[in-house]
Structures are given as structure tokens and as C-alpha cells.
Amino acid sequence: MDDLTPLRQQWLDRISAASDPQAIEDVRLSALGKKGELSLMMRELGRMSPEERQTTGKALNQIRDEIDAALRARKLALEDAALDARLRDEWLDVTLPGRPRRQGSIHPISQVTDEVTAIFADMGFAVAEGPQVESDWYNFDALNIAPEHPARQEHDTFFMHRAPGDDRPPHVLRTHTSPVQIRAMQDHGAPVRVIAPGRVYRMDMDQTHTPMFHQIEGVAIDRDISMAHLKWTLEEFCRAFFEVPSVELRFRASHFPFTEPSAEVDIRCSWEGGQLKIGEGNSWLEILGSGMMHPHVLRSGGIDPDQWQGFAFGMGIDRIAMLKYGIPDLRAFFESDLRWLRHYGFGAGDVPSVSGGLSR
């Protein structure tokens, strides 16, 4: 076979002229690929004499190794050149200030729960908790709610599914946090002073009600507890919660199975230009229910009603949160939609004016 020097130089020149990775790959396939020129020449070695095969084979192997090394070097050089170009053309100014991100805020329900808990804690009330799935005894019977009461029907209360043959007592999603009062009395006896905040569930599903909402209930039991103590407690709470110097409450006779006597509590307010102001004006707004504990309820908690008496009250956390922070739309709570919360100007630690409408 003739001198292979021109062939070697030809491929080295082509490699030097390759300007991008694809051109490098094309040269590799043309020279060293399965059908490349050098590969085809290597196949011809079998037709040569042993002397020619030794000489030519050695020369072809040397050329193949040089071409392979040149291809690798050229590819690396092109990659380095591309990186240099990017470093030259692309740059990041790290001196720019960072983009601000919105800080999270406490949900109104959580914040109001903490506020209410702190106020009652100053009056000596401890926090009690209980299960959200309750037996109907704790949810109804212990609280003097008769079997024929509408609240015990499936159109008012969520009853847990029972398989055929299940003889366990019926269970419900609690309709109020009052069962926690029974458990607190059973656990601690008398005297006792507790509040019970938490989620409750009812079959209320319309424009102004949701099937899950939040309540806080309180109970105080001692030997000489009276309605006067209840009135003072609620007045002090309203003054501290709504952050006004004075409040006026109106007690209206009502009926609750678990208290006797029972009273709805209204607070004096005014509506001027759609703005609600607590503690002044000629209007009244209902905010909670209350009363003296029924003897049946005391007995259910293991307390002798001939020796002890007490008062109880309950209010919707969602309702008083909406009143204090001027949130007239339930979607801010039920959907937990940040757009609604921001629309009403709520943020952690904010103390906006008491304004806005009323849904629940």
C-alpha cells in the first residue's frame, strides 16, 4: 500500500476545520465509523501478504489512534470555547436586591381563638379539649337534649355510619363543644372553670352557614355562682375582646335544654354608613347564648346539683371574628382563600376597626 502520510494529514486537516460538535461527529463517522475510510482499509489487510499486512496494519493503527486523539482534543477545545463565550456573554449581577416575598399570616380563626383564650385565662378559666367524634350520650343525653329534639334528626346532625350488626352506641360529629364540659366535670369535679374551643359540625349549608364552624363554650361551677357572675364575666370579655372602654349587654329570656334559666345575650352597637361600632348607639346585636346549668347536666358530669351550681355560655368564633375584623363574607373562613383574607385587610397582629356586615 502507498505511503499513508497524505491520508493522515487529510483527516487531521478536516478535524482542525471542524467548527462545532456535529462537524466533529461527522468526521469521526467518515474516518472511524463502521463504513468509514480507515475501517474499510483495515478490512483489506486480510488480502495482503504477511509482510505487507504487518507494515500496513501498524501504519493504519497509528493513524487511527492519532485521528481518535485529535477528535477528542478538538471536541474538548470546542467545549472550552463555548464555555468561554457563555462566560463572556452571560452574566449575573449579584448586587441586585432580592425580590420581596409575602409573609404568611395567622388565620383569623386561629388568632381570635388565641385572643379569647388569653382573655378567659386572665379570669381563671383553663382550656379543655375533647373528641370531635362523640357518642350521642355526651352530645345529647348528658346535655338534657330529649330524643325527640330536632337536633337529633339526620337532617340536622352528621351521624357516623354503622354497619349491620354494629351494636355500639351511635356516634356523631359533635354539634357543639358542650360535651367537653361534661368530660371536664367528670375529670375534675367541682369547683371547675373551663372553656372549650374547637370545631363543630351541623347540617347547615346555605349562603350564611357552613357545615363546619368553630365554637367556644365556657362553664364555671362553684357553691355560690349566680347570673350576676355570668353577666360580669361576659361584660369583661366583650370589653377586652372588642377593645372598647365600656359595653352594655342585654339578656333576653330564651330556652336551651342544658341551662335553666337561659338567656340570649345582645350587645349594644350602632350601624352608621355600614360600619359596625360596638358599645354605642341604639341597636342591639345578638352574640351568644348563656344560662345557669341545668341540674340534669350537673348530674351527668358527676356533680351534685344540691351542693353546686354554675353558669355556661357559648359563642361562634367565626361570628365574633367577623365582627371584630370586619369580614362580612364566610368564604374568608370556609374556603381559606388568601385572596379573600387580603381583600378584607387581615394580617397577623392587625387590629382593624370593628366594621363590616354579618353572615354567621
Side-chain angles (χ1 to χ4, degrees):
M1 184 175 289
D2 297 337
D3 185 15
L4 297 175
T5 301
L7 177 64
R8 169 183 173 276
Q9 191 60 47
Q10 170 193 334
W11 287 111
L12 294 178
D13 291 342
R14 288 185 61 180
I15 293 171
S16 299
S19 59
D20 56 63
Q22 185 58 50
I24 290 290
E25 181 64 13
D26 291 343
V27 173
R28 188 190 69 80
L29 292 175
S30 298
L32 306 179
K34 187 176 181 180
K35 297 181 179 181
E37 184 175 3
L38 287 175
S39 298
L40 295 176
M41 292 177 68
M42 295 289 284
R43 294 177 187 176
E44 296 295 327
L45 293 176
R47 300 178 184 179
M48 299 179 183
S49 64
E51 293 79 8
E52 291 178 326
R53 187 184 308 125
Q54 182 177 8
T55 304
T56 305
K58 181 178 179 180
L60 289 175
N61 282 330
Q62 289 178 345
I63 294 175
R64 183 183 61 186
D65 292 343
E66 287 189 53
I67 291 175
D68 184 63
L71 286 169
R72 293 176 183 274
R74 184 60 178 163
K75 182 179 180 182
L76 183 60
L78 290 176
E79 290 176 351
D80 290 343
L83 179 59
D84 289 339
R86 289 187 60 189
L87 292 175
R88 182 178 62 255
D89 299 335
E90 299 178 12
W91 61 282
L92 176 65
D93 186 357
V94 296
T95 64
L96 289 174
R99 294 181 177 86
R101 306 182 71 178
R102 287 184 180 270
Q103 292 185 348
S105 62
I106 301 175
H107 193 278
I109 293 297
S110 299
Q111 180 160 318
V112 168
T113 301
D114 290 343
E115 292 174 359
V116 173
T117 300
I119 293 170
F120 281 112
D122 288 341
M123 290 189 249
F125 286 80
V127 176
E129 296 181 338
Q132 296 182 41
V133 177
E134 274 286 12
S135 70
D136 65 346
W137 186 87
Y138 276 104
N139 199 78
F140 296 122
D141 294 321
L143 295 164
N144 200 38
I145 299 177
E148 66 275 9
H149 194 282
R152 302 188 74 154
Q153 306 303 312
E154 292 187 354
H155 58 72
D156 273 0
T157 298
F158 293 99
F159 282 83
M160 307 303 293
H161 173 72
R162 303 176 70 190
D166 187 349
D167 58 356
R168 291 177 299 174
H171 280 68
V172 301
L173 293 180
R174 66 183 183 188
T175 59
H176 41 194
T177 58
S178 300
V180 181
Q181 300 177 11
I182 302 296
R183 294 180 178 275
M185 287 188 281
Q186 291 177 338
D187 292 341
H188 304 290
V192 65
R193 197 181 307 179
V194 297
I195 55 171
R199 295 185 182 92
V200 297
Y201 306 85
R202 297 181 189 175
M203 293 286 283
D204 288 341
M205 289 170 280
D206 56 37
Q207 188 175 4
T208 60
H209 295 81
T210 60
M212 187 277 287
F213 54 102
H214 303 78
Q215 277 189 343
I216 186 163
E217 302 191 16
V219 57
I221 300 173
D222 212 321
R223 296 193 183 276
D224 299 316
I225 292 288
S226 68
M227 287 287 287
H229 296 103
L230 170 64
K231 182 174 184 294
W232 178 87
T233 299
L234 295 179
E235 286 178 345
E236 289 299 303
F237 164 74
C238 290
R239 181 161 47 245
F241 178 74
F242 291 110
E243 301 179 62
V244 292
S246 63
V247 295
E248 183 177 351
L249 300 183
R250 180 177 68 179
F251 285 68
R252 289 181 291 108
S254 184
H255 169 72
F256 302 115
F258 28 81
T259 53
E260 181 62 36
S262 303
E264 299 277 8
V265 180
D266 303 333
I267 191 168
R268 183 179 291 279
C269 64
S270 68
W271 297 88
E272 297 179 3
Q275 300 293 312
L276 172 65
K277 294 184 179 180
I278 298 294
E280 61 181 60
N282 298 316
S283 297
W284 296 92
L285 178 66
E286 177 189 324
I287 58 170
L288 58 91
S290 66
M292 298 300 293
M293 298 190 69
H294 195 284
H296 176 87
V297 178
L298 291 172
R299 291 191 189 97
S300 298
I303 294 176
D304 185 355
D306 295 327
Q307 300 294 323
W308 305 90
Q309 59 191 30
F311 64 73
F313 58 87
M315 67 190 83
I317 296 178
D318 312 64
R319 179 183 180 86
I320 61 175
M322 294 170 72
L323 291 174
K324 180 172 183 177
Y325 291 107
I327 304 176
D329 198 307
L330 273 175
R331 283 172 290 188
F333 298 142
F334 186 58
E335 298 178 1
S336 295
D337 192 329
L338 291 177
R339 294 171 298 176
W340 284 103
L341 295 178
R342 290 168 183 158
H343 175 74
Y344 296 123
F346 186 86
D350 288 349
V351 186
S353 60
V354 180
S355 62
L358 170 63
S359 291
R360 188 172 182 84

